[in-house]
Amino acid sequence: MHTRRIGDVEVSAIGLGAMPMSIEGRPDEARSLATIHAALDAGVTLIDTADAYHRDADEIGHNETLIAKALASHDLGKDVLVATKGGHLRPGDGSWTLDGSPRHLKEACEASLRRLGVEAIGLYQFHRPDPRVPYAESVGAVRDLLDEGKILMAGISNANPDQIRQANDILGGRLVSVQNQFSPAFRSSEPELRLCDELGIAFLPWSPLGGISRARELGSAYAPFARVAEAHGVSPQRVCLAWMLAKSPVVVPIPGSSRPETVLDSLAATDLVLADEDVAELDAV
């Protein structure tokens, strides 16, 4: 498995996005555990989750609990960096709400610590800006958690360039990651990717294949990805992840999965070397 860095931690160049295993349409627990274990066997050492990755109102942190169980039942579980998030909520009716208040973030972190069964969270990320709370206050809470040793590294998610710079300043230069949506269908995070490359901050694309419902249609929706895939004899999804890896050494995609076979196809992207002309063609989509 090829590796990249988040802060001072070496991780697999492609991580596992665990959200599909806990929200609507999720598989049974046995398949989810098999998916996580397949990822570990293939060399994954980064798993992304959040306390809001659940379906029903009475199961907050379902995904964190699932990951903790999977890691505890596998010999390689101790080698994994778990990245979780706080500040987003799901009332249980399918909607998403926000709470970026320092009090909530600190309480959410404590709850995540208990569910993950760790003394300190490897990477904790402020999930999404809350327009009702000054951004500096939310990031300040994450800084406090870092200073207190409750978290080992700090990141932000769904941030714009100004927020990235502000967060890095508030954290005293200790911002290690930015997790934004980025895919062939969603290219507006290019400025954030370029800024992370400039600053040496890991950029974690979420929904890199276009989301749960659209990932299978990537090749039919974007002809260049299908053409490059055919030329290399691989899936368009694998080409997509290889394209992202080629854009910058700070990029660490976290494709979501709930099946062992899709995990393995995604991870194979680390061995796919695209020619410069391939990357240029895909950039032009």
Side-chain angles (χ1 to χ4, degrees), residues 85 125-130 135 139 155-168 175 177-182 186 188-196 201-204 206:
K85 298 180 286 292
Q125 305 156 100
F126 176 38
H127 203 152
R128 186 179 289 274
D130 182 347
Y135 196 66
V139 177
I156 55 176
S157 184
N158 301 299
N160 63 37
D162 288 341
Q163 290 167 334
I164 293 172
R165 293 187 182 93
Q166 183 182 11
N168 199 33
L175 179 68
S177 66
V178 174
Q179 183 180 145
N180 275 20
Q181 185 176 12
F182 184 72
F186 193 93
S188 63
S189 283
E190 289 270 9
E192 289 82 4
L193 192 163
R194 291 193 296 269
L195 178 59
C196 286
I201 294 171
F203 183 83
L204 282 55
W206 62 264

Side-chain angles (χ1 to χ4, degrees), residues 45-183:
T45 56
L46 170 66
I47 298 180
D48 180 77
T49 183
D51 59 1
Y53 293 167
H54 62 89
R55 186 186 61 199
D56 304 323
D58 61 351
E59 57 171 22
I60 296 171
H62 178 278
N63 202 241
E64 292 175 323
T65 302
L66 175 69
I67 289 169
K69 182 174 183 178
L71 297 183
S73 58
H74 196 286
D75 291 341
L76 298 175
K78 63 184 183 302
D79 300 323
V80 173
L81 172 64
V82 176
T84 192
K85 298 180 286 292
H88 229 344
L89 302 90
R90 299 203 78 194
D93 59 359
S95 66
W96 296 78
T97 59
L98 298 168
D99 189 345
S101 66
R103 177 178 178 179
H104 171 76
L105 289 173
K106 293 180 179 183
E107 290 176 349
C109 180
E110 293 287 353
S112 292
L113 282 165
R114 291 192 295 271
R115 285 189 290 265
L116 292 171
V118 296
E119 294 183 0
I121 293 171
L123 172 59
Y124 195 71
Q125 305 156 100
F126 176 38
H127 203 152
R128 186 179 289 274
D130 182 347
R132 302 170 303 172
V133 180
Y135 196 66
E137 292 185 11
S138 299
V139 177
V142 178
R143 177 200 58 213
D144 293 345
L145 293 168
L146 188 60
D147 291 341
E148 294 165 5
K150 299 291 181 66
I151 66 176
L152 301 180
M153 295 189 293
I156 55 176
S157 184
N158 301 299
N160 63 37
D162 288 341
Q163 290 167 334
I164 293 172
R165 293 187 182 93
Q166 183 182 11
N168 199 33
D169 286 344
I170 292 169
L171 290 164
R174 294 178 292 173
L175 179 68
V176 302
S177 66
V178 174
Q179 183 180 145
N180 275 20
Q181 185 176 12
F182 184 72
S183 69

